[in-house]
Amino acid sequence: MVTTTSFNTTKSEEIFTAAQKLMPGGVSSPVRAFKSVGGQPIVFDRVQGAYAWDVDGNKYIDYVGTWGPAICGHAHPEVIKALQEALVKGTSFGAPCVLENVLAEMVIEAVPSIDMVRFVNSGTEACMSVLRLMRAFTGREKVIKFEGCYHGHADMFLVKAGSGVATLGLPDSPGVPKSTTQATLTAPYNDLEAVKALFTENPDSIAGVILEPVVGNSGFVPPDAGFLEGLRELTQEYGALLVFDEVMTGFRIAYGGAQAKFGITPDLTTLGKVIGGGLPVGAYGGRADIMAMVAPAGPMYQAGTLSGNPLAMTAGIKTLELLKKPGAYEQLDRITKKLAGGMLKVAQEAGHDVVGGQISAMFGMFFSNSPVHNYDDAKKSDLQKFSRFHRGMLESGIYLAPSQFEAGFTSLAHTEKDIEQTLAAAKEVLSRI
Ligand code: KE4
């Protein structure tokens, strides 16, 4: 275990200092800058299996897994081998390729709601496209999302968390026109009454409801009993669409996603992360009659130069093949139960108020003395203590997501020994923060 005194991050600091002169905040995506937890981010040099090494040679057990894609472990030898074979045939065709058929068949066979699928290059692209499709299919403009759910950075999703149910969406970022977000309505997660009120007030103008079926972007927040079923009924009652954003939960909560785990079938689904196996892939899919709207089959336009490229398809195919093997999800659930349960136990034994849990290979913990059902609850947890915990674990060789408002991810590569080492580090850190 790395002790605090021997934790040398000189090279990380040099590289990150230089990066800040080259790229806004020194990063290609904001959360990586550690703003939420403070301190210098770690510059990775390489990853393998459950581990990451930084440029100073420190080794970490990694529970971010590049934000979800590394569910089979980083740089899985079978994925790497498949990529090497694909590489020699070229990285992108810009033309139909049989590998798109292969991955599409796997996704359609796995995900209950998906009859047809369109590949794109990120979760953001998948979510912005599915929003356009919801509106195109229903001819309605308004969409309901939930405070604390993240669906990528497309303008219409960057809405200030609405206080109360009637608030029309106000932009939550400069550069987003009011006209773009005013049709985005928000409600607190797990609050069916708030959604009912929105439908009552907008009976014929809501195209649909989009949500994370298990929230990862407020920290780990599972759906309350009856919430998903209630949304399914409400959307059917009002002729609106139900859309599961499974960019994070897809092929992580279960091989068929949260919709398979909970037995609730939405009309449309977005995917990303895992289905690209670490290369840029997103996707949206759903009922055949809805997907028939998508160009060139139908009039709704969406396109992409690198969509469905053979390299990304290859990584996705191999990753899903590995996940489809018998016992994969039982292993993920077992290892993550041990981790999440153990973390809560050592925190309670150290006298901390904590709540949290796991579903399959997704977990989270809040320093809070009351349950967390939505983003407001999450914001009331002890964020300063989380920052101290994060830093202490980092210096102990455990790489957790650098924000309380993120979920943790395990992989098929995490071993019992890794979990025991993580819990030992947590016990020591929690005794002194
Ligand atoms: P990307 O555009 O980052 O591929 O996907 C956007 C997205 C859509 N939907 C959900 C449920 C998501 O979690 C995401 C992206 N997740 C974040 C982590 N919370 C990616 C990490 C980052 O932003 O750097």
Side-chain angles (χ1 to χ4, degrees):
M1 177 160 34
V2 172
T3 59
T4 311
T5 46
S6 69
F7 188 64
N8 165 34
T9 57
T10 313
K11 287 208 182 82
S12 269
E13 287 159 36
E14 282 165 9
I15 294 168
F16 189 66
T17 302
Q20 291 175 85
K21 299 188 185 76
L22 303 167
M23 299 165 281
V27 291
S28 297
S29 197
V31 71
R32 304 178 195 172
F34 276 31
K35 292 276 186 220
S36 175
V37 289
Q40 285 278 346
I42 295 300
V43 175
F44 277 17
D45 175 55
R46 68 185 179 92
V47 290
Q48 177 69 50
Y51 311 121
W53 287 262
D54 67 19
V55 289
D56 291 284
N58 300 307
K59 178 183 178 183
Y60 304 86
I61 302 173
D62 178 17
Y63 291 103
V64 176
T66 178
W67 301 98
I71 192 168
C72 296
H74 286 295
H76 190 288
E78 290 185 52
V79 176
I80 298 295
K81 182 168 173 295
L83 284 172
Q84 285 165 335
E85 288 162 8
L87 260 175
V88 294
K89 294 177 74 179
T91 58
S92 180
F93 297 164
C97 162
V98 70
L99 294 171
E100 295 168 273
N101 295 25
V102 175
L103 187 57
E105 281 172 348
M106 295 180 85
V107 168
I108 290 164
E109 186 254 340
V111 185
S113 62
I114 298 184
D115 301 332
M116 294 194 88
V117 64
R118 166 61 60 89
F119 293 117
V120 293
N121 302 281
S122 70
T124 290
E125 236 189 303
C127 292
M128 65 186 274
S129 305
V130 91
L131 191 56
R132 185 178 308 140
L133 179 57
M134 291 163 76
R135 290 169 164 163
F137 182 75
T138 61
R140 300 175 179 179
E141 275 206 8
K142 289 177 185 161
V143 169
I144 295 172
K145 77 171 287 290
F146 294 90
E147 295 152 22
C149 282
Y150 176 66
H151 305 295
H153 63 81
D155 279 359
M156 50 284 199
F157 290 118
L158 297 184
V159 176
K160 201 180 289 299
S163 53
V165 296
T167 313
L168 291 186
L170 294 174
D172 197 17
S173 162
V176 176
K178 218 178 259 157
S179 58
T180 310
T181 56
Q182 68 187 18
T184 307
L185 311 176
T186 58
Y189 196 75
N190 278 320
D191 186 340
L192 265 182
E193 290 311 308
V195 180
K196 276 181 190 147
L198 286 174
F199 273 110
T200 309
E201 290 184 23
N202 306 272
D204 303 316
S205 57
I206 293 176
V209 177
I210 185 168
L211 72 151
E212 295 178 55
V214 177
V215 182
N217 289 290
S218 305
F220 176 78
V221 180
D224 289 346
F227 180 58
L228 299 180
E229 295 83 344
L231 291 177
R232 182 64 282 180
E233 285 158 24
L234 261 177
T235 46
Q236 259 145 1
E237 183 186 340
Y238 284 90
L241 298 175
L242 180 61
V243 182
F244 279 6
D245 175 356
E246 296 226 40
V247 167
M248 187 184 281
T249 55
F251 295 95
R252 177 167 289 279
I253 295 292
Y255 189 68
Q259 59 195 270
K261 182 102 183 170
F262 294 121
I264 304 285
T265 302
D267 300 298
L268 293 166
T269 297
T270 54
L271 296 167
K273 296 178 191 282
V274 169
I275 64 164
L279 292 192
V281 179
Y284 61 102
R287 283 178 16 208
D289 60 322
I290 304 176
M291 292 303 289
M293 293 283 294
V294 179
M300 190 214 88
Y301 197 69
Q302 178 268 313
T305 303
L306 292 169
S307 298
N309 74 76
L311 213 48
M313 297 291 104
T314 297
I317 291 162
K318 186 50 73 178
T319 297
L320 296 198
E321 284 174 357
L322 292 167
L323 288 169
K324 204 174 175 188
K325 288 183 178 171
Y329 287 89
E330 290 76 4
Q331 179 183 336
L332 289 167
D333 192 51
R334 185 175 59 252
I335 210 91
T336 317
K337 249 190 189 62
K338 185 178 169 78
L339 174 71
M343 203 80 98
L344 291 170
K345 183 169 176 288
V346 296
Q348 285 153 358
E349 286 168 355
H352 299 284
D353 291 324
V354 285
V355 293
Q358 58 76 233
I359 299 180
S360 185
M362 194 171 159
F363 69 93
M365 180 171 82
F366 294 94
F367 290 103
S368 168
N369 59 7
S370 55
V372 174
H373 294 286
N374 58 40
Y375 188 45
D376 271 351
D377 294 344
K379 285 188 288 187
K380 291 178 194 138
S381 65
D382 189 336
L383 303 179
Q384 285 65 45
K385 185 178 280 189
F386 177 83
S387 300
R388 296 195 298 275
F389 179 59
H390 180 272
R391 179 52 56 174
M393 293 295 271
L394 189 72
E395 294 177 355
S396 305
I398 311 298
Y399 193 81
L400 300 175
S403 166
Q404 173 64 83
F405 305 119
E406 296 290 354
F409 303 121
T410 51
S411 80
L412 291 172
H414 286 83
T415 63
E416 299 278 347
K417 187 169 170 298
D418 295 325
I419 303 305
E420 281 151 24
Q421 185 180 330
T422 305
L423 295 176
K427 185 178 167 82
E428 191 277 326
V429 171
L430 287 160
S431 70
R432 58 182 166 85
I433 58 166

